Amino acid sequence: MSIKRKTAFNSLLIAAALAIAAPAHAVQFVTPLGGHPFKDWTIVNYVDTNPGPGVSDYRGGIYSYNGHDAIDFTLPNFAAMKRNVPVFAAASGTVVSIHDGEFDECSWANPCGNNPNYITIDHGGGVTTQYLHLAKGSVNVAVGQAVTAGQSIGLVGSSGLSTDPHLHFAVFENGQVVDTYQDPGKWWIDPLPYAGDQRGVLDAGISDHLPTDAEWTYRPPQAGAFEPGTGARAFMWVNFFGTNSGDTIDFIWRRPDGTQVGRSSWNMAEYSFARWAASFMLPDDPAIGLWSVDFRINGDVLTTRTFAVGTVPEPQTYALLAAGLMVVGRALSRRKVGGMVVTTTDRTLTVKRQ
């Protein structure tokens, strides 16, 4: 074989190898925010695939709302936001627009105008991404700046038309909205599982009162020790996700010795994001020590919280003379907005974001 023919043959081999090694699509994305999926945050909304007035995500589920054009990666509350969750460039590209300086704690209790802090990146080939509702003062890139995949470009916030801290991540190709999870292998290096197949708790705690709407948004205050003989009532609050129609949630209350003293339960609908609370009224002469509450879905314990009754210098067990259980919110009011229904005990919190 002549040198020329051999060189041509080798070139063909290299080209073939490169073609095999090349990704399925010119632009593929990394997850655009930090933290652990379905532990630190969940996906509440996908792109609405229904062109009419109805709502449907890419799996035909409720995880969207009418006309939604992006993926919403949602944190449980502003306390989580204050831990500075980074937003990443989903792929290499060039920053083409930014906006910063807007208030970043917008919520149902404190609504804002439609002017979020944001970043837009051009990835070439007609593909752009947008990152909306960023924290005030967190945008750390400039127009014209080149960025790489996974580079920190800002922080998750709740600026603009937003009801809680989340990243609104939108993808466009030649100006048209792209539902990347219609073909996840094409668009994502490591696609996330469908949020409707996940179930978990983002946050939970013990309070000495039913959290207000504003407290749910920021994070309900943690109760101190409960004093015996005061008729005190302990509230366990939970921010959870991923229930399906027919699921059951319950709260199991236990004395310091581990014996069960109360239970409250509800049958659930399909919720992508929910806030719930139940309470237990301590008896007049309760056992002194660390009490506990299990939060369960379909009998599986997802989280446990403890609270002290009296001064607890060391683990001790005392006899419990009487106990009273109150299920808060026996008559629940629920209202669905898109894929999200947020229900607490005797009140309803409905969360929708754009």
Side-chain angles (χ1 to χ4, degrees), residues 97-270:
S97 65
I98 63 172
H99 182 71
D100 202 348
E102 303 294 337
F103 179 69
D104 63 1
E105 293 186 4
C106 303
S107 66
W108 281 111
N110 188 17
C112 304
N114 189 17
N115 197 20
N117 303 315
Y118 66 85
I119 298 169
T120 305
I121 299 175
D122 184 351
H123 303 285
V127 177
T128 59
T129 53
Q130 289 185 341
Y131 311 76
L132 271 60
H133 308 301
L134 303 178
K136 180 179 180 180
S138 72
V139 174
N140 59 16
V141 291
V143 172
Q145 178 178 339
V147 295
T148 57
Q151 178 179 332
S152 178
I153 58 176
L155 300 174
V156 174
S158 188
S159 56
L161 193 58
S162 175
T163 56
D164 48 25
H166 71 287
L167 171 65
H168 175 105
F169 174 73
V171 179
F172 301 89
E173 188 170 31
N174 298 320
Q176 300 299 309
V177 175
V178 178
D179 181 4
T180 57
Y181 273 90
Q182 294 274 15
D183 191 354
K186 172 182 176 180
W187 289 99
W188 295 91
I189 293 174
D190 187 14
L192 295 170
Y194 177 58
D197 293 336
Q198 308 303 305
R199 177 182 295 137
V201 170
L202 294 179
D203 203 359
I206 301 292
S207 186
D208 59 7
H209 62 278
L210 180 65
T212 65
D213 293 358
E215 287 173 338
W216 276 115
T217 301
Y218 282 87
R219 190 177 192 270
Q222 181 67 25
F226 291 86
E227 292 301 321
T230 61
R233 191 182 298 277
F235 291 77
M236 183 181 184
W237 57 268
V238 184
N239 185 315
F240 64 93
F241 60 89
T243 57
N244 296 310
S245 180
D247 286 349
T248 299
I249 66 167
D250 54 19
F251 297 77
I252 306 298
W253 302 80
R254 301 184 187 279
R255 304 180 182 94
D257 65 2
T259 57
Q260 181 176 326
V261 70
R263 175 175 177 262
S264 51
S265 63
W266 289 267
N267 293 323
M268 304 302 293
E270 185 176 6

Side-chain angles (χ1 to χ4, degrees), residues 30-49:
V30 299
T31 302
L33 76 166
H36 298 285
F38 309 111
K39 180 179 179 182
D40 299 319
W41 46 262
T42 188
I43 295 174
V44 171
N45 293 312
Y46 293 97
V47 172
D48 178 20
T49 62

